[in-house]
mmCIF file of all heavy atoms in Angstrom:
data_model
loop_
_atom_site.group_PDB
_atom_site.id
_atom_site.type_symbol
_atom_site.label_atom_id
_atom_site.label_comp_id
_atom_site.label_asym_id
_atom_site.label_seq_id
_atom_site.Cartn_x
_atom_site.Cartn_y
_atom_site.Cartn_z
ATOM 1 N N ILE D 96 144.198 44.320 235.930
ATOM 2 C CA ILE D 96 143.023 44.769 236.685
ATOM 3 C C ILE D 96 142.122 45.563 235.752
ATOM 4 O O ILE D 96 142.570 46.508 235.096
ATOM 5 C CB ILE D 96 143.463 45.653 237.879
ATOM 6 C CG1 ILE D 96 144.190 44.787 238.916
ATOM 7 C CG2 ILE D 96 142.249 46.336 238.524
ATOM 8 C CD1 ILE D 96 144.914 45.586 239.988
ATOM 9 N N VAL D 97 140.864 45.148 235.682
ATOM 10 C CA VAL D 97 139.866 45.882 234.904
ATOM 11 C C VAL D 97 138.964 46.586 235.908
ATOM 12 O O VAL D 97 138.310 45.929 236.719
ATOM 13 C CB VAL D 97 139.024 44.927 234.029
ATOM 14 C CG1 VAL D 97 137.969 45.710 233.253
ATOM 15 C CG2 VAL D 97 139.913 44.118 233.085
ATOM 16 N N ILE D 98 138.932 47.891 235.859
ATOM 17 C CA ILE D 98 138.110 48.620 236.823
ATOM 18 C C ILE D 98 137.149 49.563 236.105
ATOM 19 O O ILE D 98 137.536 50.234 235.151
ATOM 20 C CB ILE D 98 138.974 49.372 237.867
ATOM 21 C CG1 ILE D 98 138.072 50.015 238.946
ATOM 22 C CG2 ILE D 98 139.893 50.396 237.236
ATOM 23 C CD1 ILE D 98 138.808 50.428 240.203
ATOM 24 N N GLY D 99 135.898 49.533 236.525
ATOM 25 C CA GLY D 99 134.947 50.482 235.968
ATOM 26 C C GLY D 99 133.575 49.961 235.609
ATOM 27 O O GLY D 99 132.588 50.653 235.873
ATOM 28 N N PRO D 100 133.457 48.770 234.987
ATOM 29 C CA PRO D 100 132.120 48.367 234.532
ATOM 30 C C PRO D 100 131.106 48.313 235.678
ATOM 31 O O PRO D 100 131.267 47.531 236.620
ATOM 32 C CB PRO D 100 132.369 46.967 233.937
ATOM 33 C CG PRO D 100 133.798 47.000 233.478
ATOM 34 C CD PRO D 100 134.496 47.832 234.530
ATOM 35 N N GLY D 101 130.107 49.165 235.608
ATOM 36 C CA GLY D 101 129.049 49.179 236.617
ATOM 37 C C GLY D 101 129.490 49.654 237.989
ATOM 38 O O GLY D 101 128.782 49.456 238.971
ATOM 39 N N LEU D 102 130.649 50.294 238.064
ATOM 40 C CA LEU D 102 131.158 50.737 239.368
ATOM 41 C C LEU D 102 130.378 51.932 239.907
ATOM 42 O O LEU D 102 130.259 52.110 241.124
ATOM 43 C CB LEU D 102 132.649 51.096 239.226
ATOM 44 C CG LEU D 102 133.387 51.547 240.475
ATOM 45 C CD1 LEU D 102 133.328 50.478 241.574
ATOM 46 C CD2 LEU D 102 134.849 51.876 240.160
ATOM 47 N N GLY D 103 129.834 52.742 239.020
ATOM 48 C CA GLY D 103 129.140 53.956 239.463
ATOM 49 C C GLY D 103 130.133 55.049 239.823
ATOM 50 O O GLY D 103 131.355 54.855 239.707
ATOM 51 N N THR D 104 129.594 56.177 240.250
ATOM 52 C CA THR D 104 130.463 57.335 240.504
ATOM 53 C C THR D 104 130.161 57.987 241.855
ATOM 54 O O THR D 104 130.496 59.152 242.071
ATOM 55 C CB THR D 104 130.264 58.392 239.395
ATOM 56 O OG1 THR D 104 128.884 58.756 239.366
ATOM 57 C CG2 THR D 104 130.680 57.881 238.035
ATOM 58 N N ASN D 105 129.530 57.254 242.751
ATOM 59 C CA ASN D 105 129.205 57.878 244.038
ATOM 60 C C ASN D 105 130.373 57.751 245.044
ATOM 61 O O ASN D 105 131.472 57.304 244.695
ATOM 62 C CB ASN D 105 127.892 57.321 244.602
ATOM 63 C CG ASN D 105 128.009 55.876 245.027
ATOM 64 O OD1 ASN D 105 129.116 55.321 245.114
ATOM 65 N ND2 ASN D 105 126.879 55.253 245.280
ATOM 66 N N LYS D 106 130.125 58.141 246.267
ATOM 67 C CA LYS D 106 131.191 58.166 247.282
ATOM 68 C C LYS D 106 131.796 56.778 247.493
ATOM 69 O O LYS D 106 132.991 56.631 247.718
ATOM 70 C CB LYS D 106 130.620 58.676 248.621
ATOM 71 C CG LYS D 106 130.196 60.130 248.600
ATOM 72 C CD LYS D 106 131.420 61.052 248.580
ATOM 73 C CE LYS D 106 131.011 62.493 248.277
ATOM 74 N NZ LYS D 106 132.156 63.346 247.915
ATOM 75 N N ASN D 107 130.938 55.768 247.461
ATOM 76 C CA ASN D 107 131.453 54.418 247.671
ATOM 77 C C ASN D 107 132.331 53.975 246.492
ATOM 78 O O ASN D 107 133.376 53.347 246.678
ATOM 79 C CB ASN D 107 130.297 53.429 247.870
ATOM 80 C CG ASN D 107 130.784 52.100 248.409
ATOM 81 O OD1 ASN D 107 131.511 52.066 249.404
ATOM 82 N ND2 ASN D 107 130.403 51.012 247.758
ATOM 83 N N SER D 108 131.903 54.354 245.278
ATOM 84 C CA SER D 108 132.708 54.047 244.094
ATOM 85 C C SER D 108 134.065 54.733 244.220
ATOM 86 O O SER D 108 135.113 54.145 243.889
ATOM 87 C CB SER D 108 132.009 54.564 242.824
ATOM 88 O OG SER D 108 130.618 54.371 242.861
ATOM 89 N N LEU D 109 134.041 55.957 244.688
ATOM 90 C CA LEU D 109 135.278 56.720 244.858
ATOM 91 C C LEU D 109 136.204 56.054 245.868
ATOM 92 O O LEU D 109 137.413 55.928 245.648
ATOM 93 C CB LEU D 109 134.951 58.149 245.318
ATOM 94 C CG LEU D 109 136.151 59.022 245.690
ATOM 95 C CD1 LEU D 109 137.074 59.234 244.496
ATOM 96 C CD2 LEU D 109 135.696 60.364 246.266
ATOM 97 N N LYS D 110 135.618 55.618 246.963
ATOM 98 C CA LYS D 110 136.395 54.928 247.998
ATOM 99 C C LYS D 110 137.102 53.698 247.403
ATOM 100 O O LYS D 110 138.281 53.453 247.667
ATOM 101 C CB LYS D 110 135.442 54.509 249.124
ATOM 102 C CG LYS D 110 136.068 53.730 250.259
ATOM 103 C CD LYS D 110 135.050 53.519 251.389
ATOM 104 C CE LYS D 110 135.475 52.386 252.320
ATOM 105 N NZ LYS D 110 135.278 51.042 251.736
ATOM 106 N N ILE D 111 136.385 52.968 246.577
ATOM 107 C CA ILE D 111 136.955 51.738 246.017
ATOM 108 C C ILE D 111 138.062 52.049 245.017
ATOM 109 O O ILE D 111 139.148 51.469 245.081
ATOM 110 C CB ILE D 111 135.847 50.885 245.360
ATOM 111 C CG1 ILE D 111 134.895 50.361 246.455
ATOM 112 C CG2 ILE D 111 136.438 49.722 244.571
ATOM 113 C CD1 ILE D 111 133.561 49.880 245.935
ATOM 114 N N ILE D 112 137.807 52.966 244.093
ATOM 115 C CA ILE D 112 138.831 53.248 243.084
ATOM 116 C C ILE D 112 140.079 53.852 243.738
ATOM 117 O O ILE D 112 141.218 53.535 243.350
ATOM 118 C CB ILE D 112 138.295 54.145 241.942
ATOM 119 C CG1 ILE D 112 139.258 54.110 240.752
ATOM 120 C CG2 ILE D 112 138.028 55.566 242.383
ATOM 121 C CD1 ILE D 112 138.724 54.795 239.495
ATOM 122 N N SER D 113 139.882 54.671 244.765
ATOM 123 C CA SER D 113 141.025 55.273 245.450
ATOM 124 C C SER D 113 141.864 54.184 246.117
ATOM 125 O O SER D 113 143.098 54.175 246.026
ATOM 126 C CB SER D 113 140.542 56.270 246.505
ATOM 127 O OG SER D 113 139.731 57.250 245.906
ATOM 128 N N LYS D 114 141.185 53.280 246.767
ATOM 129 C CA LYS D 114 141.859 52.153 247.424
ATOM 130 C C LYS D 114 142.644 51.317 246.397
ATOM 131 O O LYS D 114 143.808 50.951 246.625
ATOM 132 C CB LYS D 114 140.796 51.301 248.106
ATOM 133 C CG LYS D 114 141.320 50.172 248.953
ATOM 134 C CD LYS D 114 141.539 50.617 250.384
ATOM 135 C CE LYS D 114 142.243 49.538 251.185
ATOM 136 N NZ LYS D 114 142.689 50.030 252.491
ATOM 137 N N VAL D 115 142.010 51.049 245.287
ATOM 138 C CA VAL D 115 142.657 50.225 244.253
ATOM 139 C C VAL D 115 143.893 50.942 243.719
ATOM 140 O O VAL D 115 144.965 50.339 243.571
ATOM 141 C CB VAL D 115 141.679 49.897 243.111
ATOM 142 C CG1 VAL D 115 142.397 49.259 241.926
ATOM 143 C CG2 VAL D 115 140.565 48.976 243.617
ATOM 144 N N PHE D 116 143.762 52.232 243.435
ATOM 145 C CA PHE D 116 144.897 52.998 242.898
ATOM 146 C C PHE D 116 146.067 53.011 243.890
ATOM 147 O O PHE D 116 147.228 53.079 243.492
ATOM 148 C CB PHE D 116 144.461 54.428 242.552
ATOM 149 C CG PHE D 116 143.778 54.549 241.212
ATOM 150 C CD1 PHE D 116 143.457 53.416 240.452
ATOM 151 C CD2 PHE D 116 143.447 55.797 240.684
ATOM 152 C CE1 PHE D 116 142.830 53.534 239.217
ATOM 153 C CE2 PHE D 116 142.827 55.917 239.429
ATOM 154 C CZ PHE D 116 142.510 54.781 238.709
ATOM 155 N N LYS D 117 145.753 52.949 245.181
ATOM 156 C CA LYS D 117 146.821 52.888 246.181
ATOM 157 C C LYS D 117 147.487 51.524 246.230
ATOM 158 O O LYS D 117 148.674 51.400 246.523
ATOM 159 C CB LYS D 117 146.245 53.197 247.573
ATOM 160 C CG LYS D 117 146.539 54.619 248.055
ATOM 161 C CD LYS D 117 145.915 54.876 249.415
ATOM 162 C CE LYS D 117 145.249 56.243 249.414
ATOM 163 N NZ LYS D 117 144.170 56.360 250.381
ATOM 164 N N LEU D 118 146.716 50.484 245.983
ATOM 165 C CA LEU D 118 147.215 49.113 246.186
ATOM 166 C C LEU D 118 147.975 48.543 244.993
ATOM 167 O O LEU D 118 148.694 47.556 245.131
ATOM 168 C CB LEU D 118 146.046 48.183 246.533
ATOM 169 C CG LEU D 118 145.424 48.390 247.917
ATOM 170 C CD1 LEU D 118 144.113 47.606 248.022
ATOM 171 C CD2 LEU D 118 146.390 47.952 249.018
ATOM 172 N N VAL D 119 147.795 49.123 243.822
ATOM 173 C CA VAL D 119 148.429 48.524 242.637
ATOM 174 C C VAL D 119 149.943 48.723 242.676
ATOM 175 O O VAL D 119 150.446 49.661 243.282
ATOM 176 C CB VAL D 119 147.884 49.129 241.317
ATOM 177 C CG1 VAL D 119 146.422 48.741 241.126
ATOM 178 C CG2 VAL D 119 148.068 50.640 241.279
ATOM 179 N N ASN D 120 150.632 47.789 242.046
ATOM 180 C CA ASN D 120 152.072 47.972 241.847
ATOM 181 C C ASN D 120 152.340 48.134 240.365
ATOM 182 O O ASN D 120 151.513 47.758 239.530
ATOM 183 C CB ASN D 120 152.858 46.794 242.433
ATOM 184 C CG ASN D 120 152.561 45.509 241.705
ATOM 185 O OD1 ASN D 120 152.858 45.373 240.518
ATOM 186 N ND2 ASN D 120 151.941 44.570 242.398
ATOM 187 N N ASN D 121 153.480 48.690 240.031
ATOM 188 C CA ASN D 121 153.655 49.136 238.654
ATOM 189 C C ASN D 121 153.943 48.035 237.633
ATOM 190 O O ASN D 121 154.207 48.312 236.471
ATOM 191 C CB ASN D 121 154.685 50.268 238.571
ATOM 192 C CG ASN D 121 156.044 49.798 239.014
ATOM 193 O OD1 ASN D 121 156.289 48.593 239.135
ATOM 194 N ND2 ASN D 121 156.942 50.760 239.262
ATOM 195 N N LYS D 122 153.876 46.781 238.066
ATOM 196 C CA LYS D 122 153.981 45.690 237.091
ATOM 197 C C LYS D 122 152.612 45.279 236.549
ATOM 198 O O LYS D 122 152.523 44.463 235.647
ATOM 199 C CB LYS D 122 154.660 44.483 237.735
ATOM 200 C CG LYS D 122 156.138 44.709 237.973
ATOM 201 C CD LYS D 122 156.779 43.518 238.627
ATOM 202 C CE LYS D 122 158.217 43.866 238.992
ATOM 203 N NZ LYS D 122 158.711 43.034 240.086
ATOM 204 N N GLN D 123 151.608 45.831 237.119
ATOM 205 C CA GLN D 123 150.245 45.446 236.738
ATOM 206 C C GLN D 123 149.705 46.331 235.620
ATOM 207 O O GLN D 123 149.965 47.536 235.588
ATOM 208 C CB GLN D 123 149.329 45.546 237.960
ATOM 209 C CG GLN D 123 149.767 44.612 239.095
ATOM 210 C CD GLN D 123 148.958 44.799 240.349
ATOM 211 O OE1 GLN D 123 148.766 45.930 240.798
ATOM 212 N NE2 GLN D 123 148.498 43.712 240.928
ATOM 213 N N ILE D 124 148.944 45.717 234.731
ATOM 214 C CA ILE D 124 148.264 46.478 233.684
ATOM 215 C C ILE D 124 146.874 46.842 234.179
ATOM 216 O O ILE D 124 146.161 45.981 234.706
ATOM 217 C CB ILE D 124 148.150 45.640 232.397
ATOM 218 C CG1 ILE D 124 149.541 45.219 231.914
ATOM 219 C CG2 ILE D 124 147.395 46.410 231.322
ATOM 220 C CD1 ILE D 124 149.507 44.216 230.772
#
Side-chain angles (χ1 to χ4, degrees):
Chain D
I96 291 168
V97 179
I98 186 164
L102 182 58
T104 58
N105 69 12
K106 293 287 169 194
N107 193 51
S108 321
L109 173 62
K110 178 173 162 285
I111 293 162
I112 195 171
S113 303
K114 186 90 188 169
V115 170
F116 278 7
K117 258 178 224 155
L118 290 169
V119 293
N120 65 64
N121 63 14
K122 288 179 187 156
Q123 299 174 312
I124 302 171

